[in-house]
Amino acid sequence: MSLTAFRAELLSVPEDPSRGGEAAIRHHADGLLVVENGLVVAFGEHADLAPRFAEVPVETLPGLIVPGFVDTHIHYPQTDRIAAYGNQLLEWLEHHIFPAEAAFADRGHADRVAAFFLDELLRNGTTSALVFATVHAQSVDALFEAALARDMRIVSGKVLMDLGPESLHDSVESGRAGTEALIARWRGRGRLGYAVTPRFALTSSDAQLASAGDLLAAHPDALMHTHLSENRAEIAAVAARFPSARDYLDVYDRFGLVGPRSVFAHCIHLDDRALARMGTAGASIAFCPTSNLFLGSGLFDLARADAHGVKIGIGTDVGAGTSFSMLATLGEAYKIGQMRGVSLDPFRALHLATAGGARTLGLADRIGGLQPGQEADFVLLDCAATPLLARRTAGATLVDRLFALQILGDDRAISRTYVAGRCAWSRP
Ligand SMILES: [Zn+2]
């Protein structure tokens, strides 16, 4: 028995408020969160729970506890190319990204970037993420070793790209063998998970896309992680290469890559047929607002994806994304909604960045809601992190404070990050 308890204001949105209404929001102004062996034992009103846990040591925390953030699309090898000037997707990949990823042939480099990357996630309150590595198997080993040391819930996989540039491609056979070896090496270790990861349709041959479909079918515990319909020039190139496909999604569908374990980043320019197919298949979208604005890719249509019942998570997509902060990313999601005539509700935004993201990764039973039995990953938010935030949130209602955090907040508003009940980051 190693029970510990945290007394603070608590907020969790385990169900989507756009479907579940007000009941989806769990808020306790004076709450108690009880943790044992990394798992949540109780989450509720302090006055109700205190008698039951009278013997348990209580730490009182100043701030608002929410579940740890779940980033559903981010590239760790692009950490050092964030804020790279001047191109849209395809040229940006050629000029800035492929040379940076080639450096991950060096395991020492991969180890150093992986350590910085995971610490940066923790500094920003992100405790779980679906992460692109590079084509090199050792880039995944580096990330998984570093994540294991931090006990973080990280899902990743070796990138499949047999049509990639000279310095950065595999083959159908080496891609398959590398994936199989990584799954065998890492399955069941710590809180890690594997994602079969074809980069996108243009960087894999038909044979490799088919092989990715075989890998996904052969490993029912693996996810599938790729990009879909991000940029107009990319979409035109896909249409030119696959003239008989109904649309971009159909290319993946033909190779067995569209199903409930599939997470597609971006999905900006999809029509109703593709979104309906995603909804029926149970596939997920990682909405990456800062990246979509930074690369000029377009404005994601959340309302249309909702109309087709597609599962949605939020991705920072660093390095095309411009921040590791899920708070800052939610602020940009709000602005994209405004451009589409929809104002993203702050509670729903928090849901998408936590339990909604967990659902896209097939982890809703384990993380994202701080429900009893779930893993105790949580963040202590500071509504007064800056003079402006303090002024704006003084005496404000919960929804007002939450929205201000999403519009004005970033890493500065994260006072502590807890992983499995243990403090993994504390703001100096
Ligand atoms: Zn991406």
Side-chain angles (χ1 to χ4, degrees):
M1 285 279 279
S2 59
L3 283 163
T4 50
F6 304 92
R7 183 176 183 175
E9 182 178 7
L10 306 179
L11 174 64
S12 165
V13 192
E15 303 297 332
D16 191 333
S18 71
R19 283 145 217 251
E22 291 285 306
I25 299 158
R26 316 270 171 95
H27 177 242
H28 304 284
D30 179 13
L32 194 71
L33 173 64
V34 185
V35 174
E36 183 178 31
N37 299 325
L39 299 178
V40 175
V41 173
F43 175 102
E45 253 337 284
H46 176 264
D48 296 343
L49 293 172
R52 201 175 126 202
F53 298 101
E55 308 297 308
V56 177
V58 176
E59 186 178 0
T60 299
L61 297 176
L64 173 66
I65 286 180
V66 300
F69 297 121
V70 180
D71 189 335
T72 59
H73 182 68
I74 184 167
H75 298 248
Y76 100 84
Q78 298 178 10
T79 299
D80 294 326
R81 296 310 298 152
I82 193 170
Y85 175 81
N87 303 109
Q88 294 211 347
L89 179 66
L90 299 177
E91 297 76 27
W92 174 83
L93 286 169
E94 289 291 332
H95 292 165
H96 296 296
I97 297 308
F98 290 151
E101 291 194 8
F104 284 71
D106 172 10
R107 173 64 194 263
H109 177 70
D111 285 332
R112 289 186 293 277
V113 177
F116 178 87
F117 169 84
L118 292 175
D119 289 342
E120 192 65 13
L121 288 185
L122 292 172
R123 234 171 50 73
N124 282 277
T126 299
T127 50
S128 298
L130 176 58
V131 184
F132 255 73
T134 67
V135 72
H136 316 95
Q138 66 266 27
S139 72
V140 180
D141 288 323
L143 181 70
F144 278 168
E145 273 187 22
L148 195 60
R150 289 163 180 76
D151 200 22
M152 293 172 73
R153 195 164 267 297
I154 295 292
V155 182
S156 187
K158 171 208 151 7
V159 177
L160 302 169
M161 48 188 301
D162 67 334
L163 299 184
E166 192 78 20
S167 59
L168 206 64
H169 68 83
D170 55 3
S171 65
V172 176
E173 214 22 71
S174 70
R176 186 204 315 266
T179 299
E180 291 282 10
L182 283 163
I183 291 173
R185 189 144 70 240
W186 289 100
R187 178 173 274 146
R189 295 178 67 185
R191 304 171 71 198
L192 306 173
Y194 198 85
V196 175
T197 309
R199 183 172 208 115
F200 67 129
L202 294 179
T203 44
S204 285
S205 64
D206 290 24
Q208 187 170 61
L209 292 169
S211 168
D214 293 343
L215 286 163
L216 187 65
H219 298 286
D221 55 345
L223 299 185
M224 198 290 299
H225 185 198
T226 191
H227 298 92
L228 171 62
S229 194
E230 178 175 4
N231 164 285
R232 299 275 186 201
E234 168 215 12
I235 293 162
V238 170
R241 179 170 146 204
F242 300 96
S244 65
R246 278 176 287 188
D247 50 41
Y248 195 161
L249 180 76
D250 193 44
V251 172
Y252 292 127
D253 223 348
R254 288 169 180 215
F255 296 106
L257 295 170
V258 180
R261 292 178 283 133
S262 306
V263 180
F264 295 96
H266 308 303
C267 303
I268 298 168
H269 310 286
L270 291 181
D271 65 12
D272 286 307
R273 188 215 76 85
L275 288 167
R277 168 67 187 135
M278 292 183 80
T280 315
S284 298
I285 293 173
F287 170 25
C288 305
T290 72
S291 167
N292 298 161
L293 294 170
F294 179 74
L295 290 179
S297 301
L299 304 173
F300 176 66
D301 193 342
L302 180 60
R304 207 136 73 99
D306 283 343
H308 292 286
V310 186
K311 291 182 287 186
I312 310 285
I314 302 290
T316 60
D317 196 24
V318 167
T322 53
S323 173
F324 277 77
S325 168
M326 291 289 277
L327 291 174
T329 303
L330 292 177
E332 298 308 294
Y334 178 81
K335 295 173 196 169
I336 286 182
Q338 292 291 77
M339 293 297 292
R340 288 277 190 189
V342 176
S343 306
L344 177 61
D345 172 76
F347 291 110
R348 184 174 190 220
L350 179 63
H351 168 78
L352 294 178
T354 55
R359 189 160 161 256
T360 71
L361 307 190
L363 294 168
D365 55 334
R366 297 189 181 185
I367 56 170
L370 289 177
Q371 300 301 290
Q374 288 194 327
E375 294 159 1
D377 293 345
F378 57 94
V379 180
L380 184 66
L381 297 175
D382 178 5
C383 295
T386 67
L388 183 60
L389 260 173
R391 189 177 173 91
R392 177 64 183 83
T393 61
T397 61
L398 174 64
V399 65
D400 219 15
R401 283 183 288 140
L402 187 62
F403 186 58
L405 281 166
Q406 293 167 9
I407 298 302
L408 303 173
D410 51 29
D411 55 320
R412 293 169 296 178
I414 308 297
S415 28
R416 289 193 188 182
T417 303
Y418 285 78
V419 172
R422 179 185 56 82
C423 186
W425 159 256
S426 183
R427 195 178 58 189

